[in-house]
Amino acid sequence: MNPTRLLILFLSINIINYVDRQILSGVFPLLKEHFLLSDAALGLLGSAFMITYSLTSIPFGKWADRWLPHKVAAIGVAVWSVATVSSALAWSFASLFVFRALVGIGEAAYVSTAGTILSNAYPERKRSAVLGLFNLGMPIGGALGVVLGGWLGVNFGWQWAFFIVGVPGLILAYLAWKLPLRKQVTTENRATFGWDELIRLFTKNRPFLYTALGYAGISFAFGAIVLFVPTFFERSFGYSLEKATLLAGGLQVGAGLLGAPLGGWIADLWLKRTGRGRAYTLVVSMALSAIFLWAGLFLQSFLAFFLSAFFMLWHVGVATALVFDVTDKAIWNTAAAAAMFVMHFLGDIPSPYLVGLISDHTSLLFAFSLLPIPMLLASFFFWKAGTYLPKRASSS
């Protein structure tokens, strides 16, 4: 299949992926009022998705290494779409928790395969840029999810928000299933890949471990911010829910459309000068993002918030490409899923609940002021990963 058409299809799916994921953020205040929830309970709804997302990503990655990755991806898209539509039927906090957990299962099947499919369709020198374009689904879809959630929720009720955004995924699942793709990596010699080799991936491959830990630092901060930032704008700046979600969505999509492609381009350009170029890109971007987040919080500067998000989203595509750089191609799906597990288990599984809990006992402003710390830790871990990579650029 033409690589450009493949990229367009998977970018479209990724946009819907993040719409379905971030729709929750846009209706947080409505859910809080409807179910009488604390901020910690709201955070648990975000964690519900991430728990199943991380626990099932490795099995799906291993399955994709043995079967057709695009078929696994299509199944995942169908599952999360049905679960999102079902969220509209939630009658209690517990039932909504379950439906959001099912969304995580579906998205794990897709995300653990999509990056490897695209990485195999394009040459290595374009990998960061292509994955950066693919991951524009994060800011575009995330922004649409927040804005649509707020607008649909206020005007029609939070139930309609879940129902409407879940339907398009079913069509895209069918298109992914019908892709004329064959198995992309010969795995006959890898048929015995087991959990012992997965353990060795963490214990013997130090740059992979540091990359995964850096990814977790990003995930901890970013996962909490995107869920709570509309609520933060509503409480701290006094905006209505519609205006707060519109502002949050505009911030995310604007920073993403600029930051994600630029980060991928800089990483690929830096890679031509040194084999550590991608790691260095992440070191710089996460440090700057942390600094500007502190500035935005304490100066109440929207420009600083934007710059923090801008540098944060440089990682989109680059971190995934770095995972592939430090692992064997025959286990890319499994390695990507393993990195995803660490990223979520140590990142955005605990962070929404912890931020909500801190907010309940202090304020959301104070909770947000702690988030630059994991961002600086991410910068450190990416630097450590870079020390294991060659100083000279590859001649290939």
Side-chain angles (χ1 to χ4, degrees):
M1 184 177 182
N2 182 285
T4 301
R5 292 182 180 178
L6 187 67
L7 175 60
I8 291 172
L9 174 60
F10 276 78
L11 172 58
S12 300
I13 295 175
N14 210 29
I15 290 173
I16 297 299
N17 168 21
Y18 280 94
V19 168
D20 289 1
R21 185 185 300 192
Q22 298 302 335
I23 195 74
L24 183 68
S25 176
V27 296
F28 255 10
L30 301 177
L31 295 175
K32 183 181 181 68
E33 181 181 356
H34 184 89
F35 293 115
L36 302 178
L37 303 176
S38 65
D39 284 351
L42 289 174
L44 279 177
L45 289 176
S47 298
F49 164 88
M50 290 301 174
I51 290 170
T52 53
Y53 185 69
S54 60
L55 289 177
T56 57
S57 60
I58 293 178
F60 279 127
K62 288 169 67 65
W63 183 20
D65 279 332
R66 289 169 170 79
W67 193 40
L68 298 172
H70 69 284
K71 299 287 188 183
V72 177
I75 292 171
V77 177
V79 169
W80 98 52
S81 299
V82 171
T84 300
V85 171
S86 300
S87 298
L89 306 176
W91 59 91
S92 65
F93 171 79
S95 62
L96 184 57
F97 185 94
V98 171
F99 289 134
R100 294 304 296 176
L102 292 175
V103 172
I105 293 176
E107 291 200 17
Y110 172 71
V111 176
S112 62
T113 55
T116 57
I117 293 171
L118 290 173
S119 291
N120 276 293
Y122 286 87
E124 192 276 341
R125 67 182 184 277
K126 297 182 178 180
R127 191 180 300 153
S128 289
V130 168
L131 291 175
L133 289 173
F134 163 71
N135 281 295
L136 282 176
M138 178 191 293
I140 296 174
L144 284 173
V146 172
V147 173
L148 284 174
W151 185 79
L152 290 171
V154 168
N155 290 283
F156 302 100
W158 61 266
Q159 295 90 341
W160 280 102
F162 286 114
F163 180 81
I164 291 174
V165 303
V167 173
L170 296 173
I171 301 171
L172 293 172
Y174 173 79
L175 295 177
W177 181 269
K178 300 297 290 184
L179 283 173
L181 298 178
R182 298 179 179 179
K183 179 172 281 191
Q184 297 170 311
V185 180
T186 301
T187 58
E188 287 78 7
N189 295 330
R190 309 291 299 186
T192 59
F193 184 91
W195 293 104
D196 57 334
E197 189 163 350
L198 183 64
I199 293 173
R200 287 198 295 273
L201 184 63
F202 284 108
T203 58
K204 302 297 183 182
N205 190 333
R206 290 295 181 86
F208 170 81
L209 177 61
Y210 285 127
T211 299
L213 290 173
Y215 226 151
I218 296 175
S219 178
F220 191 99
F222 190 72
I225 290 171
V226 295
L227 276 176
F228 279 105
V229 74
T231 305
F232 175 79
F233 285 153
E234 183 189 36
R235 293 181 188 175
S236 298
F237 296 162
Y239 294 126
S240 66
L241 177 58
E242 282 188 272
K243 188 170 183 179
T245 54
L246 184 63
L247 185 63
L251 179 71
Q252 188 172 338
V253 73
L257 288 175
L258 293 173
L262 182 61
W265 179 77
I266 290 175
D268 284 340
L269 187 64
W270 209 338
L271 190 68
K272 294 179 181 179
R273 301 179 63 87
T274 170
R276 301 175 179 180
R278 286 176 178 143
Y280 286 166
T281 301
L282 295 169
V283 170
V284 172
S285 65
M286 293 312 301
L288 290 173
S289 182
I291 292 169
F292 280 111
L293 178 56
W294 265 322
L297 291 171
F298 293 113
L299 299 178
Q300 292 193 342
S301 167
F302 186 78
L303 176 60
F305 280 123
F306 176 83
L307 290 173
S308 178
F310 169 75
F311 286 114
M312 166 75 79
L313 290 168
W314 276 27
H315 86 273
V316 173
V318 182
T320 304
L322 186 59
V323 170
F324 296 153
D325 286 345
V326 299
T327 53
D328 181 42
K329 187 175 183 178
I331 58 166
W332 268 1
N333 287 299
T334 304
M340 189 187 307
F341 174 81
V342 174
M343 174 180 71
H344 295 302
F345 184 77
L346 298 180
D348 50 14
I349 286 179
S351 69
Y353 173 75
L354 291 175
V355 167
L357 188 64
I358 293 170
S359 174
D360 286 333
H361 289 84
T362 56
S363 69
L364 194 53
L365 172 63
F366 179 75
F368 267 31
S369 71
L370 300 177
L371 292 176
I373 297 173
M375 296 160 68
L376 293 175
L377 286 173
S379 182
F380 169 76
F381 285 126
F382 287 128
W383 173 76
K384 287 292 292 183
T387 62
Y388 289 85
L389 296 173
K391 290 184 177 180
R392 290 190 175 186
S394 173
S395 59
S396 60

